[in-house]
Amino acid sequence: QVQLVESGGGLVQAGGSLILSCAASVRTSVRYSMGWFRQAPGKERDFVAAIEWSGRNIYYADSVKGRFTISRDNTKNTVGLRMINLKPEDTAVYYCAAHWDGRTLGRTPNQYDYWGQGTQVTVSS
């Protein structure tokens, strides 16, 4: 069983920045790929970014390219999402997710096996 706990959300003005963190309790024998998703009220859960086990391969949604940076520290079992130049349309609950195959860069929710409880990000205009 994998447990994921997100932190770092909050209220920020447009143009501001936030850093989200996801702490994972994982089986050390399994190399997980990790992803961030977000879900706004009344909308589907959308892909934000993914990073495979080694950290060498990363993929971003077009809407966040150049503004968001995903990273991981396997020694601490953490995954981060640095967000700059935030826009009101970035407002959502942000979720961290893990998939047991560390080589993949899943871009849909059904490609992930474990989820955190989410952290709210609100960007005011």
Side-chain angles (χ1 to χ4, degrees):
Q1 186 70 18
V2 175
Q3 291 185 324
L4 304 173
V5 180
E6 302 97 334
S7 60
L11 173 64
V12 64
Q13 289 187 331
S17 61
L18 281 174
I19 298 176
L20 304 183
S21 183
C22 174
S25 63
V26 297
R27 293 169 54 188
T28 56
S29 60
V30 180
R31 296 184 172 185
Y32 296 88
S33 61
M34 303 294 294
W36 285 97
F37 287 75
R38 64 187 182 186
Q39 189 167 18
K43 296 188 176 181
E44 294 184 347
R45 191 166 295 189
D46 290 333
F47 170 75
V48 175
I51 185 168
E52 53 87 37
W53 168 257
S54 72
R56 289 192 293 268
N57 293 313
I58 290 172
Y59 191 81
Y60 295 100
D62 288 342
S63 59
V64 305
K65 279 181 182 176
R67 300 189 300 121
F68 291 12
T69 303
I70 189 171
S71 62
R72 67 188 297 161
D73 184 340
N74 291 336
T75 65
K76 298 180 180 178
N77 291 330
T78 57
V79 177
L81 185 68
R82 181 172 181 262
M83 307 182 293
I84 65 171
N85 191 22
L86 283 161
K87 305 175 182 180
E89 51 264 42
D90 294 319
T91 295
V93 177
Y94 283 70
Y95 296 91
C96 173
H99 177 53
W100 64 268
D101 186 349
R103 300 164 296 179
T104 63
L105 288 173
R107 302 168 198 176
T108 60
N110 61 7
Q111 292 178 285
Y112 288 83
D113 309 295
Y114 305 100
W115 292 86
Q117 82 290 347
T119 185
Q120 177 70 48
V121 171
T122 303
V123 185
S124 62
S125 57

